[in-house]
Amino acid sequence: AQSVTQLGSHVSVSEGALVLLRCNYSSSVPPYLFWYVQYPNQGLQLLLKYTTGATLVKGINGFEAEFKKSETSFHLTKPSAHMSDAAEYFCAVSGSGGSYIPTFGRGTSLIVHP
Amino acid sequence: DAGVIQSPRHEVTEMGQEVTLRCKPISGHNSLFWYRQTMMRGLELLIYFNNNVPIDDSGMPEDRFSAKMPNASFSTLKIQPSEPRDSAVYFCASRAAGRLYNSPLHFGNGTRLTVT
């Protein structure tokens, strides 16, 4: 079975500060990993995904994530937070053990202070 | 690309009434998912269709919930009778055909259901 753990239900940063949202997964090889963002009153939107190849993946809005197999992690980062980044972020995994149904984490709410 | 379309955006109903939520997936997508989102439980998968056939409905809470996909462009989620604990935001998502494991989901904007 596959699972996702997002450490911290809330992360608070100041505008301009580094954003780090943590995601750890359990899965057999190879996992396919995703980050989604949800703005208020909207559905989830794909931010970035890792399938194969380069382990550092760049997404929209300046976000990137690095797949680290040895640490079973896929943390999301952005060098400088903007107020508009305030949203809920979800990590998801699929493909493990033949599962074609993605498993989502509980989400992390990013709060950006001026 | 019009995206995944859900209707209605908001639904307020009284306990015991029937509720029908509707979803139009993105044209050409062959997988469809229904999710429920609450503060307490987060995002829960209710049912998954592939090529209009229900593949996994283990997340459907109880017999009061039913879902259909009569064709590739339409799906419904019905609750009968509704109860206050069904209050949540219900999302529909579709996924393109191809390699199932690595295609992302495309979500609609959800239906916010309130049962009083």
Side-chain angles (χ1 to χ4, degrees):
Chain A
Q2 58 193 20
S3 66
V4 174
T5 301
Q6 291 185 239
L7 295 177
S9 59
H10 295 83
V11 170
S12 182
V13 300
S14 298
E15 191 174 21
L18 172 71
V19 175
L20 171 61
L21 304 182
R22 299 178 186 274
C23 173
N24 289 87
Y25 66 91
S26 70
S27 169
S28 57
V29 176
Y32 298 116
L33 297 158
F34 307 81
W35 276 99
Y36 291 83
V37 60
Q38 183 182 28
Y39 298 104
N41 300 314
Q42 293 185 26
L44 281 69
Q45 306 170 34
L46 181 69
L47 205 53
L48 50 81
K49 69 175 183 179
Y50 167 78
T51 53
T52 58
T55 57
L56 183 62
V57 180
K58 295 186 184 300
I60 61 173
N61 301 337
F63 284 93
E64 61 183 34
E66 186 171 10
F67 168 58
K68 292 187 176 181
K69 180 180 175 181
S70 61
E71 299 177 9
T72 61
S73 69
F74 191 57
H75 301 331
L76 182 70
T77 61
K78 181 173 180 177
S80 177
H82 293 168
M83 296 295 291
S84 59
D85 294 328
E88 190 85 11
Y89 291 81
F90 293 87
C91 182
V93 62
S94 68
S96 171
S99 173
Y100 37 74
I101 299 175
T103 299
F104 285 84
R106 286 300 305 269
T108 297
S109 179
L110 177 64
I111 301 162
V112 183
H113 297 287
Chain B
D1 183 351
V4 176
I5 299 172
Q6 292 187 246
S7 64
R9 285 298 311 272
H10 302 274
E11 177 79 44
V12 180
T13 190
E14 293 183 347
M15 182 174 63
Q17 297 298 305
E18 177 179 297
V19 175
T20 299
L21 311 181
R22 297 172 175 81
C23 175
K24 177 179 170 57
I26 293 173
S27 177
H29 285 193
N30 72 335
S31 295
L32 186 139
F33 302 77
W34 282 101
Y35 286 90
R36 178 172 66 177
Q37 186 178 39
T38 61
M39 289 291 291
M40 290 293 292
R41 296 184 175 178
L43 200 61
E44 300 175 274
L45 176 67
L46 299 177
I47 188 168
Y48 159 63
F49 291 88
N50 192 48
N51 293 322
N52 312 337
V53 176
I55 303 299
D56 186 343
D57 65 355
S58 59
M60 296 287 263
E62 48 199 274
D63 291 345
R64 298 186 297 107
F65 285 68
S66 62
K68 295 182 180 180
M69 193 165 185
N71 56 63
S73 60
F74 185 65
S75 177
T76 60
L77 178 67
K78 184 177 295 185
I79 307 172
Q80 166 62 18
S82 58
E83 297 182 3
R85 60 191 167 124
D86 301 330
S87 297
V89 181
Y90 290 81
F91 288 103
C92 174
S94 68
R95 181 172 62 187
R99 295 195 64 184
L100 296 177
Y101 302 162
N102 65 9
S103 296
L105 270 58
H106 297 256
F107 284 79
N109 283 327
T111 295
R112 182 176 296 278
L113 174 65
T114 303
V115 183
T116 60

